[in-house]
């Protein structure tokens, strides 16, 4: 309850600040927007397959945004760094967690000049919700796996 209240207060302050400057607000994306994200990544040149397992669970808006942003960063990293590759995004809804996994079969010799900030950002976002991130090279390419607990926020 406390976390939800703080999140709502931050959003309210954001609205007040944006109202003062005349900025328009748009809804924040969530996991329901993954197909649009994947379409954009495909248009940018990375073929992506999507697999969804389990029954979609309504998440608090801030957690839903966190999950979306992590998936976005993982796909962006694959696009920038994998080189010629194919990617696979798996989204698993479990009773106590939501899991996002992005794999690519690239060589890791893409032209992006990575600083590692993307992985740090994913870890920081996940940690805010008590989640974990595993990322690294596999025999087939690269994998990012994120597990975010949901039972405390449902």
């Amino acid at each position: 309850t406390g976390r939800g209240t703080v999140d709502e207060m931050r959003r309210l302050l954001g609205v007040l600040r944006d109202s003062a400057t005349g900025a328009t607000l748009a809804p924040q994306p969530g996991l329901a927007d993954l197909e649009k994200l994947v379409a954009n990544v495909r248009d940018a040149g990375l073929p992506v397959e999507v697999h969804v397992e389990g029954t979609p669970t309504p998440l608090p808006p801030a957690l839903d945004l966190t999950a979306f942003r992590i998936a976005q960063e993982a796909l962006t990293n694959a696009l920038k760094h994998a080189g010629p590759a194919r990617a696979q995004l798996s989204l698993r809804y479990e009773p106590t967690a939501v899991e996002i996994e992005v794999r690519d079969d690239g060589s890791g010799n893409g032209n992006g000049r990575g600083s590692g900030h993307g992985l740090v950002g994913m870890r920081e976002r996940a940690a805010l919700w008590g989640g974990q991130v595993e990322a690294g090279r596999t025999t087939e390419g690269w994998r990012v796996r994120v597990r975010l607990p949901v039972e405390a926020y449902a």
Side-chain angles (χ1 to χ4, degrees), residues 16-85:
L16 293 174
R17 279 191 206 110
D18 288 342
S19 296
T21 62
T24 59
L25 299 176
Q28 292 294 312
L31 293 176
D33 301 302
L34 278 181
E35 282 298 329
K36 184 177 178 183
L37 170 64
V38 167
N40 290 339
V41 172
R42 286 177 184 143
D43 289 346
L46 180 66
V48 181
E49 290 180 31
V50 177
H51 302 280
V52 178
E53 299 174 23
T55 304
T57 305
L59 302 174
L63 179 57
D64 200 23
L65 175 62
T66 294
F68 177 87
R69 293 292 186 216
I70 289 171
Q72 182 179 41
E73 183 64 37
L75 286 170
T76 299
N77 284 351
L79 180 64
K80 288 171 57 176
H81 304 294

Side-chain angles (χ1 to χ4, degrees), residues 92-113:
R92 292 178 199 93
Y93 291 95
E94 300 173 1
T96 60
V98 63
E99 188 174 284
I100 302 158
E101 184 174 85
V102 175
R103 292 177 169 264
D104 71 64
D105 61 4
S107 64
N109 295 326
N111 62 2
R113 301 190 193 282

Side-chain angles (χ1 to χ4, degrees), residues 132-152:
Q132 301 104 15
V133 176
E134 298 171 11
R137 179 147 302 285
T138 68
T139 56
E140 295 86 25
W142 186 266
R143 177 182 77 126
V144 173
R145 181 179 165 267
V146 179
R147 186 170 180 83
L148 299 169
V150 297
E151 74 269 0

